[in-house]
Amino acid sequence: MIRVLPLLATLFACSSASAEDPCNPPREILVKRIVPPSENPYPPDNDLDRARAALTESVVRAFYTSRLDETELRQRMQVPHDPALDDPRPGPEAFPFTVKPASCLADVACWSKDYVFLRRIAGLASMSPPWLVERVLWSHVAPWSKKRDADLGRPARADYLHTTEPDAFVYPRPSLKEGEVVVDAAVTMKDRKGYWRILSIVSEGPDGVPGVKWFQLEPIQDVTRWSCNPSK
């Protein structure tokens, strides 16, 4: 009995370890480099959606083609404003962004009047080296964001169920206000591997012209999995 008990304990420990960690230990390897669909999964089919999608090009021209002047932007921030607008903790959905059409995005004197947006762009300008877009593959209005019913709660991955790795296209879903939609654009970045997406929150102004409220850059994550075989 003195010899059997240690043996049983050893077998139990090995069994437990292998159940949790069959490779003992496994190796994390790249399984697939995610490439967005070559064709736009949801090409705009009406004038409004085409105008919404085209705003991505305006965002890229204004903010992702050359290094932004952070000093100038910080100077523009020296205006009277509610101190609560400087607290990023509530998240961008909580702030009163204005609607900025393409013509406004092309003019720093125009878009910098939106203080909360200006603060976000100043943060973008502080990144070094600069994040510059090399190419916009395509852009479209995210189908789920056009719904105002039960479909609004479905996961964003449902928009990419026909791709090989739909989970790689999942992104943080913003809480939208009435009239807002998400424009999802796939891009490549200069001197950076992989693919990225620009997510723009878009709404119509009083004149019915769509404009950007805010946007953010998200990586399209390559898929990695635990594997026992390091040769794959």
Side-chain angles (χ1 to χ4, degrees):
M1 235 8 224
I2 295 176
R3 298 184 60 187
V4 171
L5 284 175
L7 177 60
L8 289 175
T10 301
L11 290 174
F12 178 79
C14 291
S15 175
S16 299
S18 62
E20 298 174 0
D21 191 357
C23 306
N24 210 19
R27 303 168 189 262
E28 188 179 28
I29 63 169
L30 179 67
V31 173
K32 178 172 288 189
R33 183 171 293 282
I34 297 301
V35 178
S38 57
E39 299 294 329
N40 194 335
Y42 301 95
D45 58 4
N46 59 69
D47 289 343
L48 177 57
D49 279 358
R50 279 189 282 271
R52 287 164 162 170
L55 284 167
T56 294
E57 300 286 351
S58 299
V59 167
V60 169
R61 282 193 295 271
F63 308 112
Y64 289 107
T65 56
S66 61
R67 181 186 292 272
L68 301 172
D69 188 341
E70 182 184 4
T71 300
E72 178 193 353
L73 298 178
R74 298 292 179 187
Q75 290 173 346
R76 289 180 178 272
M77 291 176 65
Q78 303 306 310
V79 294
H81 62 275
D82 182 348
L85 299 180
D86 288 317
D87 183 359
R89 289 175 298 179
E93 297 96 333
F95 293 106
F97 292 96
T98 62
V99 177
K100 297 165 285 294
S103 58
C104 184
L105 293 175
D107 181 5
V108 63
C110 179
W111 59 257
S112 64
K113 294 176 183 177
D114 184 343
Y115 177 83
V116 190
F117 186 77
L118 171 61
R119 178 170 57 78
R120 286 177 67 85
I121 300 303
L124 175 63
S126 69
M127 296 182 182
S128 182
W131 292 74
L132 304 179
V133 169
E134 184 174 55
R135 183 164 64 105
V136 178
L137 282 67
W138 39 255
S139 60
H140 59 248
V141 179
W144 66 265
S145 72
K146 297 171 67 174
K147 306 291 186 180
R148 284 297 177 266
D149 52 32
D151 280 348
L152 189 61
R154 71 187 182 129
R157 73 184 297 275
D159 292 345
Y160 293 93
L161 284 178
H162 298 296
T163 63
T164 56
E165 295 286 352
D167 285 334
F169 293 90
V170 172
Y171 52 85
R173 291 176 47 133
S175 299
L176 301 179
K177 300 180 176 64
E178 186 64 33
E180 295 179 345
V181 297
V182 173
V183 171
D184 180 8
V187 305
T188 58
M189 308 297 291
K190 292 182 179 179
D191 302 320
R192 296 179 189 273
K193 295 180 179 180
Y195 294 84
W196 304 72
R197 67 188 341 145
I198 297 175
L199 299 173
S200 301
I201 309 303
V202 172
S203 186
E204 280 73 64
D207 56 1
V209 176
V212 172
K213 285 193 167 181
W214 55 276
F215 66 86
Q216 62 190 29
L217 185 70
E218 299 280 349
I220 297 177
Q221 300 285 2
D222 290 335
V223 175
T224 58
R225 294 193 181 97
W226 291 111
S227 173
C228 302
N229 187 350
S231 65
K232 287 185 179 181

